[in-house]
C-alpha cells in the first residue's frame, strides 16, 4: 500500500508541479496536493480560474458543484480522481493526461466506495472526492 501511495504522490507532483515528499505517508502535504490536483483539473477542464493553493474553500467548492466522473469519460478530472485513488492506497490501473475512466478505474472506484461506506455506483462525485481528500 505504501508503494501505491508513493506513486500517487509522484503523480500529484507531475500533474500539479508542486513538490511534496514521496514517502508513502498520506499526511497534510499529500492532502493539499490532492486538492491541488482537483483544482488544476477544474482549471483545465472547466476554465475555473482557481488558485491552485491546496485549500478547499468556497471557490473550489462552487467550481466543483455537481461535477462527477464516470466510466467512459476522458477529462482531467479523471486524472485527478486516479491520483486521489493512488494517494489513498488504491491502484487505479494507471494515470493518463487527460484521464480515461476505464474498467480498471471503475472497479477501483467501486472498491473505494465500498470501503468508505458510500454508494457503490462507480461514479465519483463530491462524496467520493471528499472521502478521497479527507
Amino acid at each position: 500500500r505504501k508503494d501505491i501511495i508513493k506513486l500517487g504522490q509522484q503523480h500529484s507532483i507531475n500533474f500539479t508541479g508542486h513538490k511534496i515528499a514521496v514517502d508513502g505517508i498520506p499526511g497534510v502535504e499529500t492532502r493539499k496536493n490532492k486538492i491541488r490536483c482537483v483544482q488544476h483539473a477544474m482549471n483545465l477542464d472547466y476554465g475555473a480560474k482557481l488558485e491552485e493553493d491546496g485549500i478547499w474553500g468556497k471557490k473550489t467548492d462552487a467550481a466543483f458543484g455537481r461535477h462527477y466522473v464516470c466510466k467512459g469519460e476522458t477529462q482531467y478530472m479523471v486524472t485527478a480522481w486516479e491520483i486521489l485513488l493512488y494517494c489513498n492506497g488504491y491502484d487505479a490501473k494507471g494515470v493518463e493526461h487527460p484521464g480515461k475512466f476505464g474498467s480498471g478505474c471503475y472497479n477501483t472506484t467501486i472498491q473505494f466506495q465500498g470501503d468508505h461506506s458510500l454508494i457503490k455506483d462507480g461514479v465519483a462525485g463530491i462524496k467520493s472526492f471528499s472521502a478521497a481528500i479527507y
Side-chain angles (χ1 to χ4, degrees):
R1 180 180 147 119
K2 194 171 184 177
D3 287 339
I4 293 172
I5 294 170
K6 284 181 181 180
L7 284 173
Q9 290 168 326
Q10 186 60 57
H11 281 299
S12 79
I13 293 167
N14 296 347
F15 189 53
T16 66
H18 187 87
K19 292 189 178 185
I20 60 169
V22 179
D23 56 9
I25 301 168
V28 173
E29 290 305 311
T30 299
R31 184 178 70 240
K32 285 183 174 182
N33 247 26
K34 290 190 285 186
I35 295 170
R36 282 184 189 97
C37 286
V38 176
Q39 291 168 329
H40 187 62
M42 288 191 294
N43 286 341
L44 291 171
D45 286 337
Y46 316 131
K49 298 180 182 176
L50 295 169
E51 181 179 351
E52 297 174 20
D53 58 6
I55 299 169
W56 194 285
K58 290 180 182 180
K59 289 181 180 180
T60 300
D61 199 51
F64 193 95
R66 295 184 180 194
H67 290 289
Y68 61 88
V69 292
C70 62
K71 194 171 182 181
E73 292 188 339
T74 300
Q75 59 177 310
Y76 289 102
M77 282 295 285
V78 175
T79 304
W81 177 241
E82 292 167 336
I83 293 169
L84 267 61
L85 287 170
Y86 274 103
C87 285
N88 282 282
Y90 292 82
D91 184 352
K93 310 300 181 207
V95 175
E96 305 90 12
H97 300 258
K100 297 175 183 176
F101 201 120
S103 59
C105 186
Y106 174 81
N107 292 332
T108 305
T109 299
I110 293 285
Q111 180 185 359
F112 176 86
Q113 290 172 327
D115 291 348
H116 290 83
S117 301
L118 299 168
I119 296 170
K120 298 189 310 183
D121 59 4
V123 177
I126 190 64
K127 289 181 182 179
S128 294
F129 272 83
S130 293
I133 290 170
Y134 299 104

